């Protein structure tokens, strides 16, 4: 474990650059690694090869219809032991804890390489159908802490001002909360008494894991099951009530043709000036290149062995989704990471995209 002084010296992604190839194995990750034209061409060729044989339409429909079961099964198998708490979020997304000292818990996205998407073990799980991407779709709203399920009439009353977190001054929603590895670090780190965190997931099993966590505090947090792909599935909070919406490796697991309506619907929940924060897979990430023929559903959209699905974005695609929803760009960057297994002398090229978009104070003409 790193000593506290070492932790404070960790830097945000984009600041550890490989300028001397002889130093390749001195660190476990290097940032903003330039790809050669040959490397880019090889990745493109590999993707084209893997995409040459699409799954039949009936199989694709089966994965969509049974999406909830696949994710419930995933969380039943892994429970809360598969994920690591995402303390790097506060370095890259300081909006989640505005009053936090920047040196506190100096974790950065350099930790992301070792805690989230980097290990050979994790890549093996991706290939074999047990990747931890959080995907969401389907099931009605359910209140936790042993409260009854809520009907549409109850939610209408909440929209009139009596809803969970209605007294809060700073409201955050995490979409695709999984076992709570984003939610609980936020609650631990952000001590603002006006903070209220909502978190939802498609998987009932995942939401149960959040509810049963010893740190779940119903006075500061509200977890619920939600079907993002169902436009009629209500949220427990009114429109224009949220300061932050978080999407961490969630949008990529949605059927591509449904992404725009989901982003548009989420944008309506934001207050003027509110932000959507996103971190997700980029085109030609190692996970994409490792898919084989017979796993491709459509262009850049794949199914794993466990039935969960994943899409690989470009910056322009994400920019289009957010701008069509009426949001304005603050950040849209590619994190090209060269990860290193020093023990096995192996290198792995990862590609992620990080975005921040905000709702303008006045509607655009």
């Amino acid at each position: 474990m790193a000593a506290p002084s070492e932790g404070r010296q960790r830097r945000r992604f984009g600041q550890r650059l490989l300028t001397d190839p002889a130093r390749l194995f001195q660190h476990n990750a290097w940032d903003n690694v330039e790809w050669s034209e040959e490397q880019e061409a090889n990745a493109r060729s590999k993707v084209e090869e893997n995409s040459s044989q699409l799954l039949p339409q009936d199989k694709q429909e089966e994965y969509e219809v049974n999406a909830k079961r696949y994710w419930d099964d995933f969380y039943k198998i892994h429970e809360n032991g598969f994920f690591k708490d995402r303390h790097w979020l506060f370095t890259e997304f300081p909006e989640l804890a505005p009053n936090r000292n920047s040196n506190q818990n100096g974790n950065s996205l350099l930790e992301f390489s070792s805690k989230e998407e980097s290990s050979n073990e994790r890549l093996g799980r991706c290939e074999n159908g047990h990747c931890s991407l959080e995907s969401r779709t389907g099931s009605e709203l359910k209140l936790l802490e042993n409260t009854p399920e809520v009907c549409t009439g109850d939610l209408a009353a909440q929209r009139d001002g009596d809803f969970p977190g209605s007294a809060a001054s700073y409201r955050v929603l995490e979409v695709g909360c999984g076992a709570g590895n984003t939610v609980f670090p936020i609650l631990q780190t952000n001590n603002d008494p006006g903070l209220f965190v909502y978190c939802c997931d498609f998987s009932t099993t995942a939401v149960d894991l959040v509810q049963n966590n010893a740190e779940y505090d119903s006075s500061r947090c509200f977890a619920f099951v939600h079907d993002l792909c169902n436009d009629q599935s209500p949220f427990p909070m009114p429109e224009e009530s949220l300061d932050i919406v978080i999407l961490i490796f969630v949008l990529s697991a949605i059927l591509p043709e449904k992404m725009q309506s989901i982003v548009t619907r989420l944008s309506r929940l934001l207050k003027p000036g509110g932000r959507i924060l996103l971190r997700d897979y980029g085109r030609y990430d190692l996970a994409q290149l490792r898919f084989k023929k017979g796993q491709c559903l459509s262009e850049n959209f794949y199914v794993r062995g466990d039935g969960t699905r994943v899409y690989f974005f470009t910056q322009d695609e994400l920019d289009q989704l957010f701008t069509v929803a009426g949001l304005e760009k603050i950040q849209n960057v590619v994190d090209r990471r060269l990860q290193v297994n020093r023990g096995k002398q192996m290198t792995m090229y990862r590609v992620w995209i990080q975005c921040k978009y905000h709702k303008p104070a006045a509607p655009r003409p």
Side-chain angles (χ1 to χ4, degrees):
M1 178 179 292
S5 59
E6 179 183 348
R8 287 195 295 270
Q9 295 172 3
R10 288 174 176 149
R11 294 167 292 181
R12 299 176 66 172
F13 86 84
Q15 297 183 12
R16 180 174 285 181
L17 306 179
L18 179 61
T19 56
D20 180 4
R23 300 180 62 226
L24 174 62
F25 292 103
Q26 288 188 11
H27 296 293
N28 64 357
W30 298 95
D31 304 307
N32 290 341
V33 177
E34 295 291 335
W35 283 31
S36 67
E37 292 183 5
E38 180 182 7
Q39 185 178 2
E40 187 94 15
N42 288 340
R44 186 181 303 109
S45 175
K46 180 66 173 176
V47 167
E48 290 173 355
E49 177 186 348
N50 294 345
S51 304
S52 61
Q53 179 182 334
L54 299 182
L55 285 175
Q57 187 61 35
D58 60 332
K59 289 295 294 182
Q60 298 197 34
E61 292 173 358
E62 177 185 330
Y63 287 120
E64 175 69 7
V65 169
N66 294 318
K68 183 181 186 302
R69 176 170 62 84
Y70 291 127
W71 281 104
D72 277 339
D73 289 345
F74 174 85
Y75 285 108
K76 286 175 183 176
I77 293 170
H78 298 292
E79 295 186 337
N80 58 359
F82 189 75
F83 303 94
K84 301 294 183 181
D85 286 351
R86 293 164 165 165
H87 293 285
W88 56 265
L89 285 167
F90 308 104
T91 302
E92 303 309 324
F93 299 132
E95 298 90 340
L96 297 176
N99 299 321
R100 177 177 179 266
N101 186 318
S102 61
N103 288 327
Q104 179 182 348
N105 299 328
N107 304 323
S108 75
L109 266 177
L110 294 176
E111 286 193 289
F112 183 84
S113 61
S114 62
K115 288 188 175 180
E116 288 287 339
E117 290 289 327
S118 64
S119 69
N120 288 326
E121 179 185 6
R122 175 173 172 74
L123 288 173
R125 284 171 174 168
C126 285
E127 187 175 22
N128 296 316
H130 297 296
C131 186
S132 73
L133 225 177
E134 292 119 331
S135 147
R136 328 295 157 202
T137 37
S139 197
E140 66 241 22
L141 179 71
K142 185 179 84 174
L143 303 187
L144 297 184
E145 294 293 345
N146 299 319
T147 57
E149 293 191 358
V150 177
C151 69
T152 304
D154 294 330
L155 288 165
Q158 291 174 355
R159 289 188 176 85
D160 290 335
D162 183 17
F163 60 93
S166 58
S169 57
Y170 198 76
R171 302 187 190 98
V172 175
L173 166 66
E174 186 198 6
V175 180
C177 61
N181 301 92
T182 294
V183 169
F184 294 119
I186 293 174
L187 293 173
Q188 294 161 3
T189 304
N190 189 335
N191 294 318
D192 181 354
L195 172 72
F196 196 88
V197 180
Y198 306 89
C199 56
C200 64
D201 201 287
F202 180 34
S203 167
T204 304
T205 304
V207 173
D208 286 343
L209 288 171
V210 175
Q211 175 190 13
N212 293 322
N213 191 299
E215 297 189 38
Y216 181 75
D217 180 354
S218 59
S219 69
R220 304 183 68 213
C221 182
F222 183 80
F224 59 101
V225 179
H226 186 78
D227 182 354
L228 273 182
C229 293
N230 180 0
D231 290 342
Q232 303 305 311
S233 181
F235 286 102
M237 76 290 290
E239 293 185 358
E240 297 199 346
S241 64
L242 298 178
D243 295 276
I244 301 290
V245 172
I246 313 169
L247 295 166
I248 306 295
F249 293 97
V250 172
L251 199 58
S252 55
I254 302 292
L255 198 65
E257 50 263 41
K258 295 185 178 182
M259 292 178 183
Q260 185 63 70
S261 64
I262 288 170
V263 172
T264 299
R265 190 163 174 249
L266 290 173
S267 71
R268 296 192 189 111
L269 297 175
L270 291 174
K271 299 174 182 176
R275 298 184 177 190
I276 288 184
L277 311 178
L278 174 139
R279 181 93 175 161
D280 221 321
Y281 290 102
R283 191 70 46 86
Y284 306 146
D285 177 66
L286 177 61
Q288 181 177 19
L289 302 184
R290 294 186 68 150
F291 279 108
K292 310 297 183 185
K293 286 184 179 180
Q295 293 180 277
C296 189
L297 300 167
S298 60
E299 190 173 3
N300 301 302
F301 190 48
Y302 303 83
V303 64
R304 303 185 185 88
D306 62 0
T308 62
R309 297 167 297 174
V310 56
Y311 185 84
F312 296 86
F313 291 99
T314 66
Q315 288 173 278
D316 288 343
E317 287 172 339
L318 287 167
D319 187 68
Q320 175 78 3
L321 289 172
F322 291 123
T323 54
V324 168
L327 304 180
E328 296 179 348
K329 181 173 69 176
I330 298 172
Q331 180 189 63
N332 184 327
V333 296
V334 175
D335 179 12
R336 292 184 181 272
R337 187 72 56 85
L338 173 57
Q339 294 179 343
V340 174
N341 184 319
R342 287 180 279 183
K344 296 183 178 180
Q345 299 284 288
M346 292 175 54
T347 58
M348 299 168 285
Y349 288 89
R350 308 310 308 268
V351 183
W352 301 306
I353 300 179
Q354 181 167 299
C355 294
K356 299 181 185 183
Y357 282 76
H358 79 109
K359 189 173 192 173
R364 294 186 302 179

